[in-house]
Amino acid sequence: MVKMGRKVVVAVCTLNQWALDFEGNIGRILQSIQEAKEMGALYRTGPELEICGYSCEDHFHEPDTFLHSWQMLAKLLESPTCKDILVDVGMPVQHRNVSYNCRVAFLNKKILLIRPKMLLCEDGNYRESRWFSCWTKDRQVEDYYLPRMIANITNQTTVPIGDAVIATKDTCIGFEICEELWNPQSRHVPLGLDGVEIITNGSGSYMELRKAYVTVDLVKNATFKSGGAYLFSNLRGCDGQRIYFNGCSCVAVNGEIVSRGLQFALHDVEVVTATIDLEDIRSYRTSIRSRTHLAASNKPFPRVTVDFALSDDEDIHLTISPPMEWKYLTPEEEIELGPACWLWDYLRRSGQGGFFLPLSGGVDSTSTACIVFSMCTQICDAVEKGESQVLYDVRKILCQSDYTPSDPMELCNRLLVTCYMASENSSQETKLRAMQLASEIGSYHFPIVIDSAVSAVIGIFTTATGLVPKFRSKGGCPRQNLALQNIQARLRMVLSYLFAQLMLWARGRPGGLLVLGSSNVDEALRGYMTKYDCSSADINPIGGISKTDLKTFLQYAKSRFFLPSLSEILQAPPTAELEPLADGQITQTDEQDMGMTYAELSEFGRLRKTLHCGPYSMFQKLVHKWSNKCTPQEVAEKVKHFFRCYAINRHKMTVLTPACHAEAYSPDDNRFDHRPFLYRVHWNWQFRTIDEAVAQMTKDKRGSSREGDSSKQDSAPTSVPSNIATPFHLRRDRKGVLI
């Protein structure tokens, strides 16, 4: 009896690659291929640009990057690990003096196809057209002349490059690359209509809070309407930039997820497989009659025929992968895991010996400390599960070859140094809160007093000018008051770097520490920070997270990590403690200083960045959304106040500490939020347009009131609350900024 194979085992891979780490990257690729073979797969696909690393950026302009990528491909072609398995990898390729982001498919020392990316990503943190061009020749291929080092291995002079598919003995494989899945004209639509049954996507998709469902829905929908199998392979980790690639590699069949990888993890290589019945795809497709009618007239793709089958005649023993439910992490869990993994990648790849954190006892620095503790917890869990690379990295960081971490608190004591930097304006309550938290997470903690340093710096100024600046509460003007606050904040930054360089020396260990920042995304947006204070650090794990989300994270972390001190920290009002105390009590709070609440800041941020609102558009949206709590005049003044503060403080974003990207309204000036840093802060025309809208709304309201009750007198215009600034009234915030 003639038998026909119908079941195939395919593998998708999640790799933690590092830009320009060619040897490390190729080692992880080979490990993934080996694991795929051991799991029975005959086809392996991987993430985008996995050979060189996605974030090479302007290194893609260098010939060396292309040369070394081909050298690594040569190693793959020659490796016995790659024998008898169809593999496609991501790498940059130049064709006719044009650079392309490509997938290269090969089998048994033969390159089958080079498939260039056809749609590039240009939004968010992506700038792909700076380095690559789209392949624009629909369903066309050309001859690509192989480098001699490759030709000597494959005995091929040319191979096809372009928009083609691979036809095996039993099925057909097509390709998308990252953005092509997100685009309205995704390639999987015509590929599916042309009978391509397996579609792969090598991706470089990064984390944003509450966004994991987007990719999953797109992958499921890619096969829901017209059937097929979709193989999504994503990067995971920090490969040298502010973003964290968030894994979630998966396989979907006929609109259902049948296999998936983790979103966050410390291990560098994760391979998941799926067993697919090709006949399920065929019957699903033929049952959708409208789809079959379209397919009958679909323009065909060029096919590269290969004498190889993904199925086996003796496949009756294989069990088909059943549909599964995707359980999404909560935002609190994403904050717990994502920035912690980002910190781990940065620490182990930076060559430093741990972290130094100024711990103030407030929500922000506490959140940073808890994320480091989460990192330590994940490390201990990974070592317990036998992750040899994690154990190797820990021992390398600590310079102790026989050390094995088992207790997160003990590991945290080795990796995290925390310091409470008190001044005469600091309260006893925040000092005790910082000390209690440090004892609960196990960090190496100590307090210092910075008053002598502050006095010394002020003494230099007094010697030079003969003047003694005073706080406002002691008769000083606003400029004096703010200068005295800022010198405290900036000295804390200087002392942080001093201790970061010398604390391991003091503890008898080699190396230095990375200084951690702890300013949140809302403070950056508002500019509510002293330039070159403790917001200036090496890296910042919470710089892409809102104050509101950080509070809910700490509420979650309190029970997750058994940290009772978080209750008191959450109840305390946010304060910088830079002005003199009154009877031992704080006299300033953040929201009072800012002139807006953190909830309002988040609203402003999302409208400004995510919905692309200028002052007038923001007013138009908020005047209705906030109509139950604010008059139009009050909304107008809030919007104006925000934009004045934003414009005056935008220059601070040019020196913003690199932070783990996690929020869609991040004001990061490096690449995510490209805007001027020198503004006309009065926004004359924009604010005048708002004023005209307020006047019109007030007039309309009066008119409707007359119509409703002609016997009543006209109501007086809505008064402006005394705490709301008039349109061009200027005052200064606690950071010395004119607002």
Side-chain angles (χ1 to χ4, degrees):
M1 182 175 66
V2 177
K3 297 180 180 180
M4 182 177 68
R6 55 186 288 170
K7 300 175 184 176
V8 299
V9 181
V10 295
V12 293
C13 304
T14 306
L15 303 181
N16 192 331
Q17 303 295 70
W18 191 9
L20 302 176
D21 178 25
F22 289 97
E23 287 184 310
N25 292 347
I26 208 68
R28 288 180 282 271
I29 292 171
L30 284 170
Q31 181 183 338
S32 71
I33 296 171
Q34 181 63 41
E35 290 184 16
K37 291 178 70 175
E38 292 171 356
M39 298 166 76
L42 290 179
Y43 177 55
R44 175 269 184 205
T45 185
E48 188 173 12
L49 294 169
E50 58 190 304
I51 284 182
C52 59
Y54 182 87
S55 298
C56 295
E57 301 190 321
D58 280 1
H59 290 287
F60 285 123
H61 292 312
E62 300 170 1
D64 286 6
T65 304
F66 293 84
L67 169 65
H68 299 325
S69 295
W70 281 112
Q71 290 171 332
M72 294 303 107
L73 182 64
K75 288 184 176 293
L76 289 175
L77 291 167
E78 292 184 312
S79 173
T81 302
C82 300
K83 184 179 180 183
D84 296 330
I85 181 171
L86 179 57
V87 176
D88 78 78
V89 293
M91 62 178 279
V93 174
Q94 284 188 345
H95 174 60
R96 298 180 181 175
N97 299 332
V98 179
S99 297
Y100 296 103
N101 174 348
C102 296
R103 305 300 300 176
V104 179
F106 62 91
L107 170 69
N108 291 335
K109 296 187 177 182
K110 299 290 184 182
I111 294 178
L112 306 177
L113 173 67
I114 300 174
R115 202 286 197 171
K117 193 170 185 176
M118 301 185 70
L119 296 166
L120 301 180
C121 191
E122 303 293 340
D123 51 29
N125 285 288
Y126 297 108
R127 298 290 180 274
E128 291 181 350
S129 66
R130 181 179 174 92
W131 311 294
F132 299 113
S133 297
C134 296
W135 181 269
T136 58
K137 300 165 185 175
D138 180 50
R139 292 173 237 210
Q140 296 180 44
V141 295
E142 297 173 352
D143 286 336
Y144 180 83
Y145 287 83
L146 292 173
R148 281 173 290 180
M149 73 176 97
I150 302 298
N152 291 337
I153 298 170
T154 65
N155 292 318
Q156 298 168 289
T157 303
T158 63
V159 295
I161 181 172
D163 186 21
V165 298
I166 295 175
T168 65
K169 288 182 176 181
D170 49 1
T171 189
C172 190
I173 302 169
F175 303 89
E176 285 190 324
I177 304 176
C178 199
E179 180 66 12
E180 295 173 40
L181 172 63
W182 275 258
N183 192 273
Q185 292 186 330
S186 294
R187 300 302 292 169
H188 63 256
V189 176
L191 286 170
L193 292 175
D194 195 34
V196 176
E197 295 173 335
I198 298 174
I199 300 171
T200 74
N201 186 316
S203 186
S205 179
Y206 59 79
M207 164 201 171
E208 277 187 0
L209 295 176
R210 304 175 179 87
K211 293 295 180 67
Y213 77 93
V214 174
T215 301
V216 178
D217 286 353
L218 287 170
V219 170
K220 291 168 64 176
N221 290 333
T223 61
F224 176 75
K225 288 194 292 186
S226 60
Y230 201 93
L231 281 55
F232 179 80
S233 291
N234 195 22
L235 295 161
R236 182 166 58 217
C238 166
D239 75 341
Q241 261 295 350
R242 291 159 171 79
I243 55 178
Y244 182 88
F245 296 108
N246 67 328
C248 295
S249 298
C250 58
V251 178
V253 178
N254 297 340
E256 299 277 3
I257 299 294
V258 299
S259 182
R260 63 156 292 186
L262 299 173
Q263 184 174 1
F264 305 111
L266 298 187
H267 49 282
D268 289 342
V269 178
E270 181 186 27
V271 179
V272 294
T273 60
T275 303
I276 301 166
D277 190 334
L278 297 174
E279 293 300 327
D280 287 345
I281 295 173
R282 293 158 187 163
S283 63
Y284 185 92
R285 284 179 167 176
T286 56
S287 67
I288 304 173
R289 301 313 302 157
S290 59
R291 178 248 163 222
T292 59
H293 299 324
L294 282 174
S297 60
N298 186 68
K299 180 181 177 182
F301 284 79
R303 275 167 161 71
V304 177
T305 304
V306 56
D307 186 18
F308 184 74
L310 301 185
S311 61
D312 191 307
D313 290 343
E314 305 294 335
D315 62 5
I316 194 166
H317 63 283
L318 291 177
T319 302
I320 302 302
S321 300
M324 61 187 298
E325 180 183 357
W326 194 294
K327 295 182 179 180
Y328 297 100
L329 298 175
T330 65
E332 295 78 20
E333 291 171 323
E334 290 183 309
I335 294 172
E336 172 202 351
L337 299 173
C341 291
W342 183 79
L343 280 182
W344 172 243
D345 282 344
Y346 199 100
L347 175 61
R348 68 194 180 108
R349 289 170 171 171
S350 68
Q352 299 302 299
F355 301 112
F356 180 88
L357 172 65
L359 186 61
S360 69
V363 166
D364 294 332
S365 62
T366 295
S367 298
T368 297
C370 289
I371 287 171
V372 175
F373 186 67
S374 169
M375 183 196 78
C376 294
T377 302
Q378 292 185 68
I379 291 170
C380 291
D381 290 344
V383 170
E384 185 180 359
K385 293 175 182 177
E387 292 294 337
S388 58
Q389 184 63 48
V390 176
L391 179 59
Y392 171 83
D393 288 332
V394 171
R395 290 173 170 175
K396 183 179 178 182
I397 290 167
L398 298 176
C399 300
Q400 189 173 341
S401 60
D402 60 349
Y403 174 71
T404 300
S406 58
D407 179 8
M409 288 182 64
E410 188 273 338
L411 179 59
C412 190
N413 184 267
R414 292 169 177 259
L415 291 178
L416 177 63
V417 175
T418 55
C419 177
Y420 182 79
M421 298 182 173
S423 74
E424 62 182 0
N425 304 316
S426 303
S427 66
Q428 192 66 20
E429 289 79 6
T430 54
K431 179 180 180 180
L432 291 175
R433 287 197 291 267
M435 184 171 62
Q436 186 178 353
L437 174 66
S439 67
E440 290 172 358
I441 65 175
S443 66
Y444 185 90
H445 182 76
F446 60 94
I448 63 171
V449 178
I450 67 170
D451 291 337
S452 59
V454 174
S455 298
V457 172
I458 294 173
I460 294 173
F461 176 83
T462 300
T463 301
T465 64
L467 300 174
V468 180
K470 299 177 182 179
F471 282 105
R472 178 170 43 199
S473 60
K474 298 180 181 180
C477 69
R479 281 183 293 179
Q480 297 173 53
N481 188 65
L482 290 160
L484 290 174
Q485 293 183 62
N486 288 339
I487 194 61
Q488 298 170 67
R490 290 182 173 124
L491 281 173
R492 286 184 173 123
M493 183 272 288
V494 174
L495 290 168
S496 293
Y497 275 95
L498 173 65
F499 281 104
Q501 286 186 302
L502 295 180
M503 276 309 298
L504 292 188
W505 169 65
R507 299 182 71 185
R509 275 177 49 195
L513 301 173
L514 292 166
V515 178
L516 293 180
S518 53
S519 58
N520 60 66
V521 72
D522 295 326
E523 290 173 346
L525 175 66
R526 162 63 172 75
Y528 186 66
M529 61 181 69
T530 299
K531 202 172 187 180
Y532 302 116
D533 68 350
C534 276
S535 65
S536 296
D538 292 315
I539 50 175
N540 180 1
I542 68 165
I545 306 173
S546 72
K547 190 81 162 190
T548 303
D549 283 340
L550 289 175
K551 287 183 176 180
T552 58
F553 162 65
L554 290 184
Q555 192 67 43
Y556 160 82
K558 182 177 67 174
S559 57
R560 168 69 178 88
F561 298 120
F562 309 105
L563 305 175
S565 64
L566 296 185
S567 294
E568 190 175 345
I569 291 171
L570 283 165
Q571 292 169 5
T575 175
E577 291 193 329
L578 293 173
E579 293 190 47
L581 303 174
D583 299 324
Q585 301 299 312
I586 61 173
T587 59
Q588 64 178 159
T589 63
D590 290 351
E591 291 186 340
Q592 184 179 16
D593 274 357
M594 291 191 299
M596 61 190 74
T597 67
Y598 280 107
E600 289 172 344
L601 252 180
S602 291
E603 192 77 59
F604 293 144
R606 290 189 175 91
L607 290 172
R608 180 198 70 98
K609 175 64 178 175
T610 310
L611 296 183
H612 313 292
C613 290
Y616 180 69
S617 293
M618 186 179 292
F619 167 77
Q620 286 284 0
K621 292 184 182 298
L622 291 178
V623 74
H624 300 289
K625 187 171 185 178
W626 290 353
S627 60
N628 62 334
K629 62 178 182 179
C630 295
T631 66
Q633 183 66 43
E634 290 170 338
V635 174
E637 296 306 328
K638 285 177 180 287
V639 170
K640 293 176 188 178
H641 179 55
F642 165 73
F643 272 99
R644 281 196 298 269
C645 296
Y646 162 76
I648 293 169
N649 289 289
R650 179 64 187 179
H651 65 96
K652 296 177 182 178
M653 298 305 95
T654 63
V655 295
L656 194 67
T657 296
C660 179
H661 177 85
E663 183 56 74
Y665 68 86
S666 168
D668 172 34
D669 183 65
N670 174 261
R671 64 171 51 252
F672 186 72
D673 189 35
H674 289 204
R675 297 169 196 254
F677 58 86
L678 178 62
Y679 280 91
R680 181 177 178 82
V681 300
H682 300 315
W683 303 85
N684 295 27
W685 185 264
Q686 294 92 329
F687 287 0
R688 193 176 304 144
T689 307
I690 292 176
D691 292 338
E692 291 172 357
V694 171
Q696 183 63 47
M697 295 180 74
T698 304
K699 179 181 178 181
D700 292 345
K701 185 176 181 180
R702 288 175 181 171
S704 62
S705 297
R706 290 195 192 97
E707 293 174 4
D709 188 351
S710 58
S711 64
K712 292 184 179 180
Q713 294 182 353
D714 292 346
S715 58
T718 303
S719 61
V720 182
S722 60
N723 64 330
I724 300 293
T726 54
F728 305 116
H729 176 66
L730 299 179
R731 57 192 177 91
R732 293 182 181 268
D733 70 6
R734 69 175 178 85
K735 301 299 186 180
V737 175
L738 196 64
I739 59 175

